Amino acid sequence: MLEFQVIVLAAGKGSRITELTARKPKCLLPIGNQPMVYYPLKIIEKYGFKEVFLVVLETAKSEVEFALEKTDLAINVNVVTIPYDCDWGTADSLRHLASYIISDFIVVSSDLLTTINVKSILNFHRKNESSLTAVYLQPNTDVELNFVTPGTKSKTKIEKDLVGIDPVTKRLVFLASASDYEEVLPIKEKLLRKHGNVRIYTNLLDAHFFVMKKWLIKYLTFDKNLTTVKGELIPYVLKKQMSRDNKLPSLIDISPEISPMNHQNEKKTVDIFLLAKDLDYDILAKTLSSYNDHTGDLNPVYLNDNIKCYSYITKEFGIRTNTLHDFYKANKTVANYWNKIVEQELIKISPESVIESTQFDKETCIVGSMTKIAAKTSIKSTIFGTGCVIEQKTRISDCLIMNNVVVKEGCVISNCIICDDVIIENNCTLTSCLVGSQYTVSSKIDIFLNSVNNFKINFFFYCRFLGSHKNEILAEIESLMEI
Amino acid sequence: MNSKTVNEKLHSKTNVEKENIIQAVVVADSFNKTFAPASHCLALLPLVNKKLLDYTLEWLNIAGVNEVIIFCSSHVNEIKQHLSDKVYLSIDIKVLVSEGCYSFGDVMRALDRYAVIRNTFVLLSVDVIGNFNFVPIIEKFKTIQKNDKEISMMTLFKEIGNQRTDLGNNFIVAYNSENRIIHYHVQNSRNLELPLDVVLEQDFVEIRNDLLNPGLAICSDAVPPLFSDNFDFQTINDFIRGMFMNEEIIQSTVYCEILKGNNYVAKVTNWPMYQIVSQDIVRRWTYPIVPDISEKYSYSKNSIYLKNATFSQGCRLGSDIVIGSDTKLKKNVYVHNSIIGCNCLIGNDVIIENSFIFDNVKIDDNSVIRYSVIGHKCHVKKKCVLEKNCILGPLVTLNAESKINNIALISKTSSSSICKLTSFSDGCYVYENSDSEDEEIASLVCEQKIHENNELSSASEWGSSCSVSSSPINLLDDVNIFYNEVIDSLTRGYEDKLKCENLILEINSSRYAYNVTVNEVNYNILRAILSIQMNQEKPTMKEILQHVDSKLKYFTPILRNYIKNEEAQRDCLPAIEDVVFTSDKLKTISPKIIQFLYDKDILSEEIILSWFDDISKNDVHNVKNILIPFIKWLNEAEEESDESD
């Protein structure tokens, strides 16, 4: 029997990067000319998994399948769809998959770009007999990237997670968001009585990589109030971990007749502790063993807990590409970590591309197939998708250019994200701009432009002379309104 | 070496580089009377047949310290006398005297006036026992000092694990990745509240509830002046809290260092700790400071240490025993887990278990001594039985066939004018810890609570249990006057809708006027609030409920002000018994009252539950049935609250 099944959640709508997801599902946004979802799938494949469940929106199914065919993935991807307009959370998606899950399972988000060692996470999970293991990334302070995110300048408030762990046993004991509190952070006395040493991290990034016991998904099918994994399921399980009912049944108590479901009650409630109960021989093994995971009190191993959550904290590289900033950062850094993730050389310049430019920096550029770059151009630190046409006398630096983009003569573009099917006409100057898909940046006078302020759409009408733009979002208003 | 030669030696050494000298300041007084009946001078209290001061000096001698400043505020001559025949190789000893110090803070201020501190120094009190070297820790302190000029103190904590005891380790400390303390929380009855902005500045915050605070710190030379500037600092704890509560005003930081593994440190704060530390010494956790190395005892298996002791036929020794030199044990003596001093004479068929017997004690035939402390030169006559928590001061003679337990006795000669004496037998009096109020203010570093009914401990609250015998009638009168004044203040305040803050001031002034103890204040406040009468005659049930509810709501700030910790909660619960349960009408709404207090976080769940257990045992007021639904609800509510946050 399979020990672990893998679920990749790729049904996110990209609500934080609407500028980019107007015409493309979030999971297919390119990172280093590969769709975002390629990276978690590749990692899973690398560690020997043969099969994976990929949850996508029903509207995106064919597009995703088509995109995956073009990649070199050998893993068997079962695409499972969820309805588009129901606003399902991540836990809803898991519940949808419940009938497929027959063993313990791994949940990965499609926006995770990382080099984490899945094997050691699984070993950690096995060793601790964890009910739920959450992976957290510790920021690596050595690599500091300084760049301006394209688009309108906005102060992005970084949401800080407060992650409390027991540093001795690596138990996950506390999880909250800094915005949940105002001035004081209350810590329950009960928690400190149970765990004498609690370390609260403020700088960790939740990788959204979870390893869970089979019973958790079973529990989800009973408790339909839980809609998200990080926001609701894990806090709920943590709370249950602190409950005084969270104890191993002594061998005498075990009777096979107890069913976890309470049929007398019309509502059909379920006892999470009975669901989480170990197999009898596991309990026997724990009782007989002299192993203990902690010192300092006289409590039995694992504090006699039935439900146990653990945190795996690693210093490996990892980015969640769920904001524009992180998406851009991922594209800038992916080449450095390519070898570690994919374990083969990155073909930076597609052999099917035509590059006539003499001032072309091979080291820092990635070029997709069918892209033509004319002579008399200066190109550096830029990623080009497929089918782009770059005409003469252009200068492009530090850009992310997606597929089928046409840049006409005399343009100067730096630090921009340019989405699919964009046409940039003659003599435009773009600095730190984000150009939405199918948009045409015109060089004519008097163009009304719309500036979009991250989430809220404001209508600002600007008058421009020549197509010179700085720190703007250029996109068609309709495409943004949709979302 | 007497103090004169000490001084000479100091002068001769003045040309040694002063910068690199490590100084240690030993505070030779605890400013409380915890051990008063057995020994009036803390520094000279014997622990495993050696004075506490000797432990400290022996430790500092091997801990890399060069100069020791012993700070005495009382018993100066005795301490100097004791030091005169001691020789320590690597430390210079200097005795500073400042009478009129009543707290640890006073000592630090006096230290500032003496201006003897030249550099970073080690600060400890004489009751701290340890065995590790300070040099690496001071190095660490200096490394931090290079990055953080504001560092004033590095407190040392010892990891002791998660078992909760009331032995003075009830505190929670939070520090960041650099070990800088950002929060220090002493009362553990309430949930911990960390300032969120400070937490978010750190990469992580480590919250520890498994440490022991021995009151030991590495201090920079800025510490004594800081005590002078802040004359309200009484203890190190005040200092630590003051540092981060007034961060803007006092530019100073406090760090901590966690001692692990072989590094032993403990503080003899009370009798239970005394017993624990004795056992640790006997079981060699304090190595190399163990009796066989420093005092030339012979050490044999089962942790038995002997030195020239004489045994007669039929003596039996259990384990964990130290017997001092020239002590004679007669026939069929049984000793287990006990310390016996020098020059003692133990008679035939005596049983000694879990006890501490100081020097020159004489115990006559057939006596039994368990869980007791027997002071210098006591004489326990034939067939005495001392069970549990008996403490005999020096020179007490116990008459034959006395049977005592849970009592502290002193002799006439040793007591000067400590307190009123209640005669126990010829020349032997009951010791009362009369000044518990003062003790509370002056307790040195750890605010201690002696564990009640601690089976293991050799002593519990003997002070309070003995005070029953005296009847302080005058005191009661004062309390009654105080109670009436509180009622007056509250009634007026309630009717005129005065601000609660002003009422608190009024109550405080009456409290000081009548010298009422904290416990009585807590009790009387709630009693007064509950007893304020309604204007209406023959009110309906509903009106009573409304009235009680509104007055409780109105006085919540007052209750919050006084009832801050578990002890206060325990104090005020009898008020509910006395007022609510004695009135038929109020009795029925008692669950509502308790629930209100619980909801407002004035009473905690544990306290209510344990109190309920107590009252339901002998249900005088027949309230058990009324309260049961509420208690049930409370049990479930706790479960719920677990789940809701």
Side-chain angles (χ1 to χ4, degrees):
Chain A
M1 204 183 88
L2 269 173
E3 193 187 358
F4 291 104
Q5 288 174 298
V6 186
I7 302 168
V8 175
L9 300 174
K13 288 176 182 169
S15 54
R16 273 177 278 192
I17 36 175
T18 50
E19 307 89 336
L20 301 172
T21 52
R23 289 205 164 80
K24 203 175 216 176
K26 180 188 164 195
C27 63
L28 294 182
L29 290 176
I31 297 172
N33 278 347
Q34 293 285 1
M36 195 187 271
V37 70
Y38 170 80
Y39 296 96
L41 292 174
K42 193 74 196 175
I43 283 268
I44 297 299
E45 183 186 297
K46 196 173 96 179
Y47 285 96
F49 289 94
K50 299 276 183 264
E51 198 182 34
V52 60
F53 291 97
L54 181 67
V55 182
V56 297
L57 290 169
E58 60 186 4
T59 48
K61 189 186 179 199
S62 53
E63 228 179 313
V64 171
E65 280 174 341
F66 180 69
L68 288 176
E69 264 171 39
K70 289 202 285 185
T71 61
D72 60 353
L73 288 168
I75 191 168
N76 183 12
V77 180
N78 297 321
V79 179
V80 181
T81 61
I82 61 164
Y84 177 80
D85 42 9
C86 291
D87 273 324
W88 277 14
T90 43
D92 294 319
S93 298
L94 291 186
R95 189 177 298 127
H96 188 62
L97 275 169
S99 54
Y100 300 105
I101 300 302
I102 49 166
S103 66
D104 295 351
F105 59 102
I106 301 169
V107 179
V108 196
S109 171
S110 68
D111 57 8
L112 177 65
L113 175 70
T114 181
T115 58
I116 50 174
N117 185 342
V118 177
K119 195 177 157 193
S120 70
I121 295 169
L122 293 180
N123 282 341
F124 175 81
H125 179 84
R126 290 182 186 114
K127 188 187 104 185
N128 292 310
E129 272 209 296
S130 170
S131 307
L132 187 154
T133 305
V135 178
Y136 290 96
L137 301 164
Q138 213 160 24
N140 203 338
T141 43
D142 312 338
V143 198
E144 270 297 314
L145 270 180
N146 281 318
F147 60 89
V148 180
T149 312
T152 38
K153 279 181 186 166
S154 58
K155 274 182 194 166
T156 41
K157 251 194 180 174
I158 303 164
E159 265 284 286
K160 277 196 169 180
D161 283 334
L162 301 171
V163 183
I165 64 150
D166 184 328
V168 182
T169 58
K170 310 291 178 213
R171 269 293 185 91
L172 184 64
V173 295
F174 178 84
L175 189 64
S177 169
S179 58
D180 296 349
Y181 307 106
E182 278 171 8
E183 277 175 3
V184 290
L185 168 66
I187 305 286
K188 283 225 151 196
E189 188 217 346
K190 204 176 158 187
L191 175 69
L192 293 171
R193 236 186 298 147
K194 188 167 173 187
H195 301 273
N197 186 355
V198 175
R199 182 181 289 177
I200 295 190
Y201 283 96
T202 59
N203 64 347
L204 295 183
L205 176 72
D206 179 10
H208 211 287
F209 187 111
F210 303 108
V211 190
M212 301 189 197
K213 277 257 159 77
K214 187 172 72 181
W215 61 263
L216 269 165
I217 209 160
K218 211 171 183 181
Y219 180 75
L220 273 178
T221 60
F222 290 112
D223 189 344
K224 296 214 162 66
N225 296 323
L226 303 171
T227 60
T228 63
V229 172
K230 188 193 164 192
E232 289 170 27
L233 175 64
I234 297 181
Y236 180 77
V237 177
L238 285 182
K239 215 161 46 195
K240 288 293 171 191
Q241 184 180 232
M242 277 310 293
S243 167
R244 59 173 76 141
D245 292 336
N246 184 19
K247 52 178 184 263
L248 288 175
S250 65
L251 281 171
I252 310 146
D253 296 348
I254 300 166
S255 69
E257 291 95 59
I258 307 170
S259 150
M261 278 152 288
N262 188 352
H263 287 293
Q264 294 163 340
N265 207 330
E266 280 291 299
K267 283 180 193 165
K268 228 185 186 186
T269 53
V270 60
D271 186 347
I272 190 168
F273 301 108
L274 277 175
L275 266 183
K277 188 172 78 87
D278 279 325
L279 296 168
D280 293 358
Y281 59 77
D282 280 341
I283 298 166
L284 184 63
K286 272 179 209 164
T287 330
L288 295 177
S289 165
S290 60
Y291 168 75
N292 206 330
D293 63 334
H294 67 284
T295 55
D297 56 27
L298 296 173
N299 289 321
V301 63
Y302 307 126
L303 300 165
N304 208 25
D305 281 355
N306 193 353
I307 297 175
K308 307 186 289 287
C309 299
Y310 284 88
S311 61
Y312 182 90
I313 295 173
T314 172
K315 278 200 163 158
E316 291 274 0
F317 161 79
I319 295 179
R320 290 284 305 283
T321 51
N322 52 10
T323 62
L324 193 60
H325 176 267
D326 289 329
F327 173 69
Y328 197 52
K329 188 174 161 192
N331 269 294
K332 283 185 170 298
T333 48
V334 67
N336 304 340
Y337 297 100
W338 184 271
N339 290 343
K340 264 197 161 176
I341 301 168
V342 185
E343 284 190 327
Q344 63 195 38
E345 269 306 301
L346 169 65
I347 304 161
K348 283 188 173 171
I349 319 283
S350 162
E352 290 162 61
S353 61
V354 182
I355 298 170
E356 293 163 356
S357 172
T358 47
Q359 290 191 322
F360 176 82
D361 190 348
K362 281 181 196 167
E363 290 302 309
T364 57
C365 289
I366 300 173
V367 183
S369 62
M370 313 299 282
T371 289
K372 284 179 199 159
I373 298 176
K376 292 183 187 168
T377 52
S378 162
I379 316 281
K380 73 171 194 207
S381 309
T382 297
I383 300 174
F384 294 94
T386 56
C388 294
V389 178
I390 312 296
E391 294 188 359
Q392 289 186 348
K393 292 176 188 165
T394 51
R395 275 187 287 145
I396 301 176
S397 60
D398 303 304
C399 285
L400 167 62
I401 295 174
M402 297 186 193
N403 301 332
N404 303 321
V405 173
V406 178
V407 180
K408 296 202 170 157
E409 274 188 34
C411 288
V412 180
I413 306 172
S414 66
N415 199 35
C416 287
I417 298 176
I418 298 178
C419 295
D420 289 349
D421 308 318
V422 167
I423 300 168
I424 299 173
E425 296 196 339
N426 294 343
N427 301 321
C428 284
T429 306
L430 299 180
T431 311
S432 299
C433 283
L434 193 157
V435 186
S437 56
Q438 295 183 7
Y439 188 81
T440 304
V441 183
S442 167
S443 52
K444 285 178 209 152
I445 305 167
D446 295 345
I447 306 164
F448 294 109
L449 294 169
N450 318 302
S451 173
V452 176
N453 196 353
N454 255 8
F455 299 104
K456 292 169 205 157
I457 301 172
N458 301 318
F459 296 90
F460 287 113
F461 296 94
Y462 290 110
C463 221
R464 290 285 170 202
F465 305 95
L466 292 170
S468 168
H469 305 281
K470 195 174 177 192
N471 291 333
E472 283 174 29
I473 294 175
L474 309 171
E476 278 166 51
I477 191 98
E478 298 83 25
S479 69
L480 292 169
M481 290 291 279
E482 272 176 28
I483 298 158
Chain B
M1 205 191 320
N2 58 34
S3 61
K4 220 175 182 180
T5 51
V6 169
N7 278 336
E8 277 164 21
K9 206 177 172 190
L10 262 182
H11 282 296
S12 69
K13 274 210 172 179
T14 39
N15 28 5
V16 180
E17 306 165 69
K18 280 189 174 173
E19 281 302 299
N20 293 327
I21 278 181
I22 297 177
Q23 289 176 305
V25 174
V26 179
V27 181
D29 203 332
S30 68
F31 308 104
N32 60 29
K33 288 179 179 161
T34 314
F35 299 106
S39 167
H40 51 286
C41 175
L42 182 72
L44 302 178
L45 177 75
L47 176 76
V48 193
N49 294 344
K50 193 158 70 171
K51 312 279 186 245
L52 277 178
L53 184 62
D54 293 342
Y55 278 99
T56 313
L57 293 175
E58 204 176 302
W59 171 26
L60 294 174
N61 194 28
I62 57 167
V65 172
N66 307 97
E67 187 183 318
V68 178
I69 296 161
I70 299 172
F71 211 104
C72 317
S73 56
S74 54
H75 312 292
V76 182
N77 290 332
E78 286 162 71
I79 289 173
K80 281 187 173 167
Q81 176 71 34
H82 179 75
L83 284 171
S84 61
D85 56 348
K86 300 277 170 187
V87 181
Y88 293 100
L89 288 177
S90 53
I91 47 175
D92 284 331
I93 299 167
K94 199 174 176 181
V95 179
L96 289 184
V97 182
S98 176
E99 284 164 2
C101 285
Y102 297 103
S103 76
F104 182 81
D106 290 340
V107 170
M108 296 307 287
R109 286 180 271 277
L111 196 64
D112 187 33
R113 286 196 299 279
Y114 274 106
V116 285
I117 298 302
R118 289 189 289 267
N119 203 337
T120 306
F121 65 100
V122 180
L123 176 65
L124 70 164
S125 102
V126 74
D127 49 3
V128 180
I129 310 290
N131 66 347
F132 54 88
N133 194 333
F134 280 115
V135 176
I137 295 163
I138 288 176
E139 288 304 318
K140 220 173 205 170
F141 181 89
K142 286 180 174 163
T143 330
I144 297 172
Q145 207 168 23
K146 273 175 200 153
N147 301 322
D148 182 0
K149 298 274 179 244
E150 312 290 332
I151 181 174
S152 58
M153 189 185 273
M154 186 156 90
T155 57
L156 304 181
F157 297 128
K158 166 81 180 156
E159 240 176 14
I160 54 157
N162 208 11
Q163 71 265 67
R164 302 299 299 153
T165 55
D166 274 344
L167 301 176
N169 58 340
N170 44 351
F171 72 100
I172 298 169
V173 66
Y175 54 88
N176 70 4
S177 48
E178 274 121 32
N179 274 15
R180 183 163 70 80
I181 296 180
I182 62 165
H183 198 83
Y184 189 90
H185 183 84
V186 178
Q187 289 166 356
N188 57 4
S189 58
R190 291 269 176 268
N191 293 342
L192 176 71
E193 290 190 336
L194 298 174
L196 187 65
D197 50 337
V198 182
V199 171
L200 291 177
E201 284 167 20
Q202 323 296 337
D203 282 352
F204 64 78
V205 174
E206 189 120 11
I207 305 168
R208 301 294 296 257
N209 190 27
D210 58 348
L211 302 175
L212 174 93
N213 184 356
L216 175 61
I218 313 293
C219 301
S220 79
D221 48 2
V223 170
L226 276 170
F227 268 94
S228 296
D229 294 346
N230 299 278
F231 54 84
D232 55 330
F233 287 176
Q234 299 284 340
T235 64
I236 291 196
N237 282 354
D238 286 345
F239 181 85
I240 297 171
R241 262 173 297 172
M243 286 305 113
F244 61 73
M245 278 168 85
N246 310 316
E247 216 173 0
E248 298 84 27
I249 314 159
I250 309 168
Q251 287 286 325
S252 212
T253 51
V254 181
Y255 286 73
C256 63
E257 173 72 17
I258 315 292
L259 297 165
K260 289 177 187 171
N262 289 339
N263 295 331
Y264 184 86
V265 66
K267 187 176 165 75
V268 186
T269 41
N270 44 36
W271 283 115
M273 272 313 279
Y274 181 89
Q275 193 184 26
I276 289 169
V277 175
S278 299
Q279 225 161 52
D280 286 344
I281 293 170
V282 170
R283 292 182 182 166
R284 309 178 78 75
W285 290 102
T286 55
Y287 186 88
I289 302 172
V290 285
D292 53 323
I293 290 186
S294 50
E295 299 288 296
K296 300 193 177 82
Y297 277 77
S298 73
Y299 169 54
S300 43
K301 80 171 187 190
N302 292 339
S303 299
I304 298 174
Y305 299 81
L306 304 172
K307 189 179 181 183
N308 293 337
T310 318
F311 298 96
S312 309
Q313 206 178 8
C315 284
R316 287 178 303 143
L317 298 181
S319 60
D320 300 326
I321 296 165
V322 179
I323 300 179
S325 56
D326 304 318
T327 288
K328 281 195 184 94
L329 277 72
K330 290 194 177 165
K331 277 182 193 169
N332 299 327
V333 174
Y334 174 65
V335 186
H336 175 66
N337 193 18
S338 296
I339 315 289
I340 301 175
C342 304
N343 284 320
C344 293
L345 185 66
I346 315 290
N348 292 329
D349 300 307
V350 170
I351 297 174
I352 300 172
E353 281 178 313
N354 304 307
S355 295
F356 300 91
I357 293 164
F358 295 173
D359 295 348
N360 303 317
V361 172
K362 208 175 155 207
I363 297 172
D364 290 351
D365 298 355
N366 294 315
S367 288
V368 177
I369 295 161
R370 290 194 177 98
Y371 294 102
S372 296
V373 180
I374 297 180
H376 289 285
K377 294 185 183 167
C378 282
H379 186 188
V380 177
K381 290 189 178 163
K382 270 185 196 171
K383 290 183 182 170
C384 284
V385 180
L386 286 79
E387 299 265 9
K388 273 184 194 172
N389 309 339
C390 295
I391 296 166
L392 302 190
L395 303 166
V396 169
T397 304
L398 204 58
N399 286 346
E401 294 181 38
S402 330
K403 283 197 171 111
I404 55 173
N405 83 57
N406 218 343
I407 199 166
L409 299 178
I410 48 173
S411 68
K412 178 93 184 188
T413 41
S414 67
S415 68
S416 43
S417 58
I418 313 167
C419 51
K420 291 164 264 174
L421 292 173
T422 315
S423 178
F424 180 77
S425 60
D426 311 333
C428 180
Y429 302 90
V430 176
Y431 176 81
E432 283 162 43
N433 207 351
S434 56
D435 45 6
S436 59
E437 263 273 272
D438 296 346
E439 199 174 289
E440 199 175 284
I441 297 162
S443 76
L444 178 54
V445 175
C446 293
E447 274 131 52
Q448 64 205 23
K449 281 181 207 161
I450 299 175
H451 208 297
E452 283 174 78
N453 304 327
N454 189 342
E455 285 302 327
L456 268 174
S457 64
S458 65
S460 75
E461 287 185 286
W462 34 266
S464 56
S465 53
C466 292
S467 62
V468 186
S469 52
S470 67
S471 49
I473 296 163
N474 298 334
L475 217 72
L476 256 179
D477 271 351
D478 277 353
V479 173
N480 271 336
I481 300 169
F482 168 73
Y483 170 67
N484 289 333
E485 288 210 0
V486 170
I487 286 239
D488 287 347
S489 300
L490 294 182
T491 317
R492 197 161 35 78
Y494 186 63
E495 278 160 10
D496 303 350
K497 297 288 167 230
L498 296 178
K499 273 192 181 166
C500 284
E501 300 150 34
N502 299 341
L503 294 176
I504 290 171
L505 284 180
E506 269 182 45
I507 295 168
N508 276 345
S509 59
S510 349
R511 175 196 161 189
Y512 289 118
Y514 298 106
N515 195 16
V516 182
T517 64
V518 191
N519 312 24
E520 278 158 340
V521 173
N522 294 333
Y523 166 76
N524 283 304
I525 295 281
L526 187 63
R527 183 173 154 212
I529 289 175
L530 291 171
S531 341
I532 293 175
Q533 291 302 317
M534 291 182 72
N535 296 334
Q536 262 170 299
E537 280 179 25
K538 291 193 180 174
T540 64
M541 219 48 231
K542 204 179 162 192
E543 278 163 345
I544 293 177
L545 192 62
Q546 270 173 354
H547 173 72
V548 171
D549 189 54
S550 75
K551 71 186 180 190
L552 278 178
K553 259 187 200 141
Y554 187 77
F555 293 123
T556 303
I558 297 185
L559 287 171
R560 283 247 167 84
N561 182 58
Y562 288 100
I563 297 155
K564 284 174 182 163
N565 54 27
E566 284 185 7
E567 211 180 318
Q569 293 179 28
R570 280 192 205 104
D571 291 337
C572 75
L573 279 167
I576 297 177
E577 287 174 45
D578 292 353
V579 182
V580 179
F581 294 168
T582 48
S583 141
D584 288 340
K585 277 172 185 156
L586 287 174
K587 197 151 99 179
T588 47
I589 60 162
S590 58
K592 298 256 182 220
I593 295 171
I594 299 166
Q595 188 185 348
F596 179 88
L597 295 172
Y598 170 72
D599 285 344
K600 292 282 173 196
D601 257 1
I602 289 162
L603 295 181
S604 78
E605 184 221 354
E606 285 106 32
I607 298 288
I608 298 175
L609 291 180
S610 72
W611 170 69
F612 176 73
D613 284 346
D614 288 348
I615 56 167
S616 55
K617 266 176 211 151
N618 53 1
D619 196 359
V620 191
H621 306 294
N622 296 321
V623 287
K624 192 174 168 185
N625 288 334
I626 299 169
L627 284 175
I628 274 182
F630 170 72
I631 298 295
K632 226 176 185 175
W633 171 84
L634 198 62
N635 273 323
E636 281 161 16
E638 164 75 353
E639 200 74 336
E640 290 278 297
S641 77
D642 288 351
E643 274 146 45
S644 62
D645 38 40

